[in-house]
Amino acid sequence: MRTSIATVCLSGTLEEKMNACAAAGFDGIEIFEQDLLVSPSSPEEIRDLAAGLGLTLDLFQPFRDFEGVTEDLLAENLYRAEAKFELMNRLGTDTMLVCSNVATATIDDDALAAAQLRRLGELAARYGIRLAYEALAWGRYVNDFEHAQRIVDLADHPNVGTCLDSFHILSRRWDPAGIEKIPAEKIFFVQLADAPELSMDVLSWSRHYRVFPGEGAFDLTTFMAHLVRSGYDGPVSLEIFNDVFRQTAEERTAVDAMRSLIWLEERTSVFLAEQDAEANAYPMKLATLPAVAEPTGFNFAEVKAEETADVEELLFQLGFRCEGRHRSKPVQLWSAGSARMIINQQQARGLMPGISALGLDVQDPLAAASRAVQLKALPVSRRSQADEAVLQAVSAPDSTEIFLCESTPDGTVAWAEEFGAPQETAAGSGPDAAGLITHIDHINLSQPWQHFDEAVLFYESTLSLAPRASQEVPSPMGLVRSQVMRNDDGTVRLALNIAPLALEQGGPRGGSDYPQHVAFACTDVVALARQAQQRGLEFLPVPPNYYEDLRARFRLDGNLLETLRSLNLLYDRDADGEFLHFYTATVGNVFFEVVERRSSYDGYGAPNAPVRLAAQYARSRSAGSVRSAGRAGRR
């Protein structure tokens, strides 16, 4: 499949955009006219730059408001078009996008529109230019692709064809099956865009909220299947109008864009293979990726910091045991049940505690890593000696390192042998939790707002984690949006949060400075909380009003309610079961949660999230006041 992308998708100058697209692996680009107008480079220089980068110039766009006009306006439009044809010859591109008229059309007559497009085609032919006529979803008289194709058929000129744009088709809920009826030679160009489901006018939706394939709600796999069946074999291009993408680094956006096309190409290939016995006979050849099963569990979670005593203390209080220090690195292994925490002090100068890496159990680490790299993930390597395990790892969009570990039937890990015997730490070795903690239940990672959709696509495409319905939770600083990614049986649950903008702006790393956490599953949260309390654990305090509300909502037994109150436990219940949990105080940028799921409860205690966010906000404000007072006292 030949890949292309419109320069309007990216930030930066035209030259910067071209370099980013080439580096990301695109075959070609669409030149958006405004990008060329503001460039200091001549059309010839842009043509030469593209050739040097290995990029084809697939489309010049847009040419607007041509057809359905009076004869005097048509003459003006033809004059305007000829100037663009001359420019395109200098650029070396031979296809121009002609959008259906939205502003100047006054005559609703298909025969007239076709005749005018034929005249434009005759002029274009003199310059070796093809015209791709596109039905804009808000076109005055032409706003669906089948109507546009009827006009192309009436025009009956070899230089006049159609452009198919998934947004204009799917946003209006037109059935894309009609694509298969269009002769392949009359499909001159194809543009793809995804979008979230929004209730707003289609023009605003299109101009501000398009996203890359896999980051929205459109069924682009079926759309692509219809396109492949039509016999089309030209460029498949991305045309995304998005305010966020136009503000973020072009190199990163280009990689995100390329990942989305690779992912869509694979999904379409698999879909066609399942549906069509002759799938390999179509002209468009679709590449596939190494097939990998979804991860089966968390292998470990890692916290990195220069000073780790406070994290060690929390783990000790929760009942974790220090299994020892690594024989060649300043790294500790703590465990409880099958929950493993790595405490890493390597290259951590000046770092406050934060989640730096996750280990996931997979059937074939090499295949999983190969798939991720082919989806444009950056490989990660860590220093190791000859007798130490070499773990496959890639970097997620937020720089969290994702280690792909070989799963074993008994849950053991070979790399644990690299840690010495259990030993005393600043917190002690840690008596185990008497079997109370069983495994890592879920991990919560905060994402910068401008890269949230990228993160969702990354985890879905590389690790086969499925997104669940997102939620918005109120906090004292604004709404926190949460998106859970998980495998089928819930043994891997990864919650991605967008922090309120005011909180993101408070730290040097944007949303990644917003607190993140690891949640541990246990068999008896009340017993564990009492043990942790005896070891001096500082629980996140829960306000009395919360327990008054619990009594009203659930009519809890008085003894249970008092137990919850005395231990700062939170509670939720639904038709499938109950959920009890508590949070520790935050250390640096990380805190821990302990959860007990009763019966078939499958949620995360979402009604309790505002309580946690408010309590954390109050504590951070209090800590800030103490620091300010300390600074004032030193002056």
Side-chain angles (χ1 to χ4, degrees), residues 115-138:
Q116 293 180 343
L117 279 176
R118 187 183 308 114
R119 289 177 63 181
L120 185 62
E122 291 169 352
L123 179 61
R126 289 160 43 191
Y127 292 88
I129 302 296
R130 303 191 313 162
L131 308 173
Y133 182 56
E134 176 186 56
L136 299 182
W138 52 90

Side-chain angles (χ1 to χ4, degrees), residues 547-558:
Y547 296 104
E548 293 294 328
D549 182 63
L550 276 189
R551 183 176 60 82
R553 282 194 293 142
F554 296 118
R555 302 182 69 173
L556 295 180
D557 173 79

Side-chain angles (χ1 to χ4, degrees), residues 127-173:
Y127 292 88
I129 302 296
R130 303 191 313 162
L131 308 173
Y133 182 56
E134 176 186 56
L136 299 182
W138 52 90
R140 177 166 291 184
Y141 300 129
V142 180
N143 55 35
D144 81 80
F145 76 101
E146 291 174 305
H147 187 183
Q149 185 58 40
R150 290 196 295 272
I151 293 175
V152 167
D153 291 340
L154 285 172
D156 192 23
H157 193 283
N159 290 66
V160 178
T162 193
C163 174
L164 299 173
D165 184 310
S166 66
F167 181 87
H168 295 300
I169 296 171
L170 300 179
S171 65
R172 297 291 298 271
R173 293 177 171 79

Side-chain angles (χ1 to χ4, degrees), residues 258-338:
M258 192 67 213
R259 179 182 296 123
S260 75
L261 275 185
I262 295 170
W263 175 83
L264 178 61
E265 183 178 5
E266 182 202 34
R267 286 175 63 94
T268 305
S269 177
V270 172
F271 178 84
L272 285 170
E274 294 172 348
Q275 299 287 324
D276 297 9
E278 303 298 324
N280 292 328
Y282 298 121
M284 184 183 292
K285 302 305 177 185
L286 302 174
T288 58
L289 298 168
V292 297
E294 62 183 14
T296 57
F298 286 108
N299 193 276
F300 67 87
E302 177 184 281
V303 172
K304 190 172 188 176
E306 180 177 15
E307 299 293 337
T308 62
D310 289 343
V311 179
E312 296 170 30
E313 180 72 15
L314 282 181
L315 292 174
F316 168 81
Q317 291 165 340
L318 291 174
F320 277 72
R321 179 180 178 82
C322 180
E323 303 294 350
R325 294 184 180 275
H326 195 274
R327 60 189 177 215
S328 67
K329 306 178 182 74
V331 175
Q332 299 173 34
L333 169 62
W334 290 70
S335 70
S338 64

Side-chain angles (χ1 to χ4, degrees), residues 215 244 252 397 445-459 470-471 481-485 495-499:
E215 298 178 357
V244 173
R252 180 168 183 164
L445 298 177
S446 297
Q447 305 295 311
W449 64 271
Q450 65 269 40
H451 301 305
F452 182 78
D453 292 328
E454 176 188 4
V456 172
L457 176 61
F458 171 85
Y459 286 108
S470 63
Q471 293 184 320
R481 179 183 170 195
S482 181
Q483 174 82 67
V484 172
M485 311 291 297
L496 306 177
N497 284 358
I498 297 181

